[in-house]
Amino acid sequence: MRLFYAILFPNDFKAALAETMEMISKTQGGLKGNFTPADNLHLTLAFIGEREDITPAKEALNAVSFPPFELSLERLGIFKGSSLVYASLKKSPQCEKLTADIKAQLSIRGVDFDDKPFKPHITLIRKALGGLPEKTELPRASFMVHRVSLMDSSRISGRQVYRQIYYKNDNEE
Ligand code: 2AM
């Protein structure tokens, strides 16, 4: 399985992002690319990749605990030298701590993961062609995080499918 940890979003938060993507695609001279389907929108905390035995990844999640915390949209961006349009999130020390704790628990168990610095972002458009229309702003949207999910990513009939295979709720020991 291709494993990663993510925060999944409530429907109204996904809808706010989907509206922004629709606006970008409809604006004259708008940007073309592979738009993320609303149901696939998520925030990746840590990426493990291909692994057969999922037990250590579940154990790592069992070993962390976190209080509920808020995530809020910040702004649109394009990673330098790439064609990926993302929505950034306002700085959240709790989210950073949760991510660091998960990575520490993976290291303890000898599970390799992508150790690039954590840049919290929500991928909206891949292979984007053309600039963002001027004045593209993100709506104000936020939600309380109560769960972190262990996900499996696969391609089914040419579509990216993300499946929650395990989770940990806030304040659970
Ligand atoms: P991305 O959206 O910026 O590509 C599943 O692939 C999720 O894991 C995606 O959200 C992806 O981020 C993220 N991810 C993080 N590091 C990755 C890596 N090294 N390879 C593939 N996906 C990665």
Side-chain angles (χ1 to χ4, degrees), residues 2 4 42 44 47 84 114 121 123 126 162:
R2 195 164 179 270
F4 64 105
H42 65 274
T44 296
F47 182 81
L84 191 146
D114 185 335
H121 69 276
T123 297
R126 289 189 165 81
Y162 299 130

Side-chain angles (χ1 to χ4, degrees), residues 15-156:
L17 288 166
E19 265 173 40
T20 302
M21 288 193 279
E22 200 176 330
M23 200 268 283
I24 293 172
S25 73
K26 283 192 176 151
T27 308
Q28 220 195 340
L31 189 149
K32 306 259 181 296
N34 295 345
F35 287 70
T36 304
D39 278 341
N40 279 359
L41 292 165
H42 65 274
L43 170 67
T44 296
L45 299 187
F47 182 81
I48 296 178
E50 219 36 74
R51 227 189 129 88
E52 267 177 38
D53 180 9
I54 63 169
T55 307
K58 286 183 175 177
E59 285 173 358
L61 203 45
N62 285 337
V64 300
S65 73
F66 61 98
F69 60 90
E70 190 178 54
L71 285 180
S72 308
L73 289 181
E74 187 183 50
R75 61 178 180 81
L76 284 173
I78 302 184
F79 282 131
K80 264 194 200 137
S82 89
S83 51
L84 191 146
V85 176
Y86 64 86
S88 67
L89 294 158
K90 290 187 183 147
K91 189 173 172 65
S92 162
Q94 296 98 326
C95 188
E96 284 170 20
K97 181 177 184 307
L98 171 59
T99 302
D101 288 352
I102 292 172
K103 288 181 174 179
Q105 290 299 331
L106 290 174
S107 294
I108 288 169
R109 289 167 178 77
V111 178
D112 287 337
F113 54 87
D114 185 335
D115 201 18
K116 284 200 287 285
F118 181 47
K119 283 191 195 156
H121 69 276
I122 303 162
T123 297
L124 300 182
I125 311 165
R126 289 189 165 81
K127 297 188 182 164
L129 286 174
L132 286 171
E134 265 176 52
K135 291 195 185 153
T136 311
E137 278 182 20
L138 282 176
R140 275 168 196 258
S142 57
F143 70 102
M144 291 302 290
V145 175
H146 293 287
R147 170 177 291 187
V148 55
S149 303
L150 176 62
M151 307 292 293
D152 167 43
S153 154
S154 55
R155 281 196 88 78
I156 299 177

